Amino acid sequence: MTSEKTEKVERFLCGHGIDFKTHHHPPLPTIELALEYWKEIDSTHCKNLFFRNHKGNRHYLVVFECHKELGIHTLEKSLKQGKLSFASQERMERCLGLLPGSVSPFGLINDMNLTDQAGNPREGVSAKELFENGHRVRLFLDKDLQNAERVSFHPCDNTASTVISNAGLLRFLEIWGGEYEWIEV
């Protein structure tokens, strides 16, 4: 059975002409558990981590190939955003509409249309959390993912994995409209 969150992602992708394939599986909150189910899925699987800065007014989603390891101090140096810590479940839900174990770039669907036409934050959105571009989240992607033919992420629910092409990912990011950067991991 497809969850509401997965259906929302699939409607978004369909509505924007982005081809995808969703594979359903038991809840997989960790990479270690997911690897067993991903064996038959032809794509580059990703690890997704959500951070906040030390002031708590900036949020960062970091995406990299699932077999890579990334220490937080190395990450802080790479991102040049100051001291980082993992974001709380409350922040994850507020900024990306996600629960722990389901972090995914597809959560950026919930980081859109946060301001009105005059650039003022919509109700329930804190101006102090918004970047100049009107988004709450800045995305950092592993440079090696640029060479991946297909990538997969949870569709905002860890009971499925959705595969899209690299071109589909770039189209998704264009539609999202937030700031992203390719980094060495």
Side-chain angles (χ1 to χ4, degrees):
M1 182 172 169
T2 303
S3 74
E4 286 180 36
K5 289 182 178 188
T6 298
E7 286 178 2
K8 181 178 178 179
V9 169
E10 290 177 342
R11 279 193 309 274
F12 184 90
L13 296 173
C14 283
H16 290 91
I18 299 172
D19 292 331
F20 66 92
K21 179 165 179 149
T22 299
H23 302 265
H24 296 275
H25 45 64
L28 302 173
T30 66
I31 295 297
E32 292 73 26
L33 292 171
L35 288 172
E36 182 64 31
Y37 289 89
W38 287 344
K39 285 190 237 177
E40 304 301 318
I41 301 174
D42 182 24
S43 77
T44 298
H45 305 289
C46 298
K47 188 181 290 188
N48 309 283
L49 302 175
F50 191 55
F51 296 96
R52 68 175 190 87
N53 69 351
H54 71 284
K55 291 181 182 178
N57 65 337
R58 295 287 182 250
H59 299 91
Y60 310 98
L61 177 58
V62 180
V63 179
F64 52 102
E65 195 277 330
C66 74
H67 292 95
K68 291 185 177 185
E69 293 295 324
L70 186 60
I72 194 159
H73 297 298
T74 303
L75 182 63
E76 288 170 345
K77 288 177 185 174
S78 294
L79 303 188
K80 300 177 182 102
Q81 301 297 313
K83 186 167 174 45
L84 301 175
S85 60
F86 286 102
S88 66
Q89 178 174 330
E90 181 275 327
R91 287 174 186 273
M92 200 177 294
E93 289 181 76
R94 184 177 73 243
C95 296
L96 294 172
L98 302 174
L99 294 172
S102 299
V103 177
S104 162
F106 291 135
L108 295 171
I109 291 169
N110 299 304
D111 184 49
M112 298 171 68
N113 304 314
L114 301 177
T115 58
D116 61 22
Q117 289 188 348
N120 299 311
R122 296 198 183 275
E123 188 176 332
V125 176
S126 171
K128 72 177 187 162
E129 286 186 336
L130 296 177
F131 287 97
E132 289 181 16
N133 61 18
H135 293 271
R136 283 192 264 216
V137 179
R138 184 167 179 204
L139 176 64
F140 292 92
L141 298 144
D142 179 354
K143 275 187 179 178
D144 289 344
L145 295 178
Q146 290 176 310
N147 301 320
E149 195 172 318
R150 286 174 296 286
V151 291
S152 68
F153 311 106
H154 288 314
C156 299
D157 185 320
N158 65 14
T159 62
S161 297
T162 297
V163 178
I164 62 174
S165 69
N166 197 301
L169 173 61
L170 295 176
R171 175 78 177 118
F172 176 84
L173 296 177
E174 178 185 319
I175 295 162
W176 165 56
E179 189 176 341
Y180 67 93
E181 182 179 333
W182 299 96
I183 61 169
E184 291 286 340
V185 176

